[in-house]
Structures are given as C-alpha cells and as structure tokens.
Amino acid sequence: FTKSLPALLVADGAAQLPTVMGDGDELGSSVLAASAFAKAFAYHLAAESGFAGGLFLPMLSMSSCLGRVFVNITGINESVALSCASVALAASLIPAPFMLSLMANSLLLLGPQGLVPIFATVVTAHLMLVGVGVPQALLARGAARKAKAAAAAAADPQGAAV
C-alpha cells in the first residue's frame, strides 16, 4: 500500500493510466480507491495554492481508478466498465459529451457496439450535474460571496486593515 499510493499520486495521472487499466487487479481496490481520493485532495491543494494545471487528466485518472475498483469488486466486463468509468467524472463537469464518448471508445478500441453504453454513461453524468445547473449555481454563489466580502471591506476600510 505505501509503495503504490505515492506512485499513483505523482503528476497528472497520464503515466499511471496504463498501470491502472492493465494491472489494477494486482494493485487492489483499497489502493486504487485511496489513490483516487488522495489525488483529488492533492489536486485541490495544488489548485488552491496557485499552481497552474488542468483538471482533465487528474479527473480522468481519478475516475479510472474508481472504475477499476468497480471492476475488481463486481467482475463485470472490464473493457466496457473501464471506458465508461474513465469519462464519467469528466462528463459530469465538462460540457462535451460527444468528444468524451469518442475518446473513451477509442481509448480501449471497443468499436461501434461499445459506444452505446459509453454514450449512455456520458449523457447521464452530464445531465445529472451540468444539465441541472449545480456547477453554475456553485460558481454564482461563490462569486456572490466574494462580492459581498469585497463590498463589506470597501464600506469599512478601517476594519479591513485590522
């Protein structure tokens, strides 16, 4: 556990994807689940500290780790499950369902018959979060909170300096 977890956290996750998808059963479900949550925490720390970087590859890595956990536990078709899981998290935040479906299909070379479950997963994830407006509402609430704090600081300049 202590040898595998740091190796799965370093960088954006692109180098770890072949290991997670190919040898994830050897790593174990607990290591994969812990690395997914630790990668989310590490990304949050880096993003809030001002480091530059994208969200897509860490998100792809996290969802692939959790998809591999699902495959390890249930034993379902590995190719379809991993391709669906690899884009489910990204589809819930990125409004590009067709691109994500085609990317997941070409990731494991499933062919046209593999596109149906992938597209269903992507559309469901997209509609569950982006379609109902949860990220937009959270962004609007954060912007309103920052504007309120800035207005309060501008109204009381002496209190802001203390």
Side-chain angles (χ1 to χ4, degrees), residues 74-103:
T74 62
I76 62 173
N77 185 347
E78 188 174 322
S79 298
V80 174
L82 287 176
S83 60
C84 289
S86 65
V87 293
L89 185 59
S92 67
L93 297 174
I94 300 171
F98 292 111
M99 183 275 304
L100 291 168
S101 298
L102 292 174
M103 185 201 72

Side-chain angles (χ1 to χ4, degrees), residues 4 27 39 51 53 60 67-69 81 86 88 91 111 121 123 146 150 153 155-156 162:
S4 303
L27 290 172
K39 186 174 275 297
F51 286 98
L60 184 65
R68 188 62 203 206
V69 168
S86 65
T121 301
V123 167
K146 286 181 182 179
D156 188 20
V162 175

